[in-house]
Amino acid sequence: YYYLGQELFHNTQYREAIKPLNDYIKLSSNVAEKYQAYLILAQVLYNLKLIERSFQALDEAIKIYPDSQFAYALKGSYLAAQEKWEEAMLYLNKAIEVPGAPVIFDYEDQRTVVPLRWLSVCHEQLGNIEEAQRFHYLANSCRIDDGLRKRNGVWLSSNKYLVKEEPEHFNKTDPE
């Protein structure tokens, strides 16, 4: 069930992916794959505009792995896309502060860039320009390979907040 749900998700057959993923979650004792199934299910539900159910799946993933950087980043990103700035920041900050996560400390880690970009957007939307600039600078310090650009390019380029031109009030140097 897990692999069927995963394959259907990758082929953007979101409605068809729900049942095998839910069946797998009910039947599985494999904790790691159950966690992954919840993450996939959350993305499926989000793509189907079933936002609250998507958040529930992410909460279940976080219950399994409370130090799940990806689940926090995903939930924070989804909340930010819903313009729930303050709530989004709670999850995005958790994503970059997870113990042992290679975020902030290792700018070559590509998982860093999306939470940092969203934190910049959230702070800007809340009028915290200095913090927005700081996170913008940190995100720009991350190295992103072509694979990440290819996988996330459509999503990043379709997001009205993440593709804006750099605000004029951001200076071009390290804000620290």
Side-chain angles (χ1 to χ4, degrees), residues 5-142:
Q6 181 182 47
E7 193 62 33
L8 291 167
F9 166 67
H10 288 301
N11 288 315
T12 66
Q13 294 175 277
Y14 301 127
R15 289 215 180 279
E16 295 83 357
I18 293 173
K19 183 173 178 3
L21 289 168
N22 277 328
D23 288 347
Y24 182 82
I25 288 166
K26 287 177 194 163
L27 299 172
S28 178
S29 59
N30 182 326
V31 176
E33 282 188 357
K34 191 178 237 184
Y35 161 78
Q36 290 295 330
Y38 274 121
L39 291 179
I40 295 168
L41 180 61
Q43 293 170 82
V44 162
L45 294 168
Y46 189 83
N47 282 307
L48 291 171
K49 309 287 187 247
L50 300 170
I51 309 303
E52 288 307 313
R53 287 182 57 198
S54 173
F55 290 160
Q56 290 168 356
L58 287 169
D59 290 341
E60 291 300 319
I62 290 168
K63 282 182 193 172
I64 293 171
Y65 288 127
D67 290 341
S68 170
Q69 181 184 30
F70 185 72
Y72 288 122
L74 199 57
K75 188 163 183 180
S77 298
Y78 288 171
L79 286 163
Q82 302 292 311
E83 299 183 1
K84 296 179 179 180
W85 309 118
E86 290 177 1
E87 190 177 356
M89 286 173 46
L90 295 173
Y91 288 94
L92 295 166
N93 278 316
K94 279 211 170 220
I96 63 171
E97 294 168 357
V98 168
V103 190
I104 298 294
F105 308 108
D106 181 0
Y107 292 108
E108 293 186 21
D109 190 301
Q110 300 161 24
R111 293 171 294 176
T112 308
V113 72
V114 172
L116 291 173
R117 288 234 187 273
W118 270 120
L119 279 165
S120 176
V121 170
C122 290
H123 279 289
E124 184 179 8
Q125 294 300 311
L126 293 170
N128 307 324
I129 301 307
E130 286 182 17
E131 279 297 286
Q133 181 175 347
R134 184 171 74 83
F135 283 110
H136 182 82
Y137 177 81
L138 290 171
N140 284 344
S141 299
C142 297

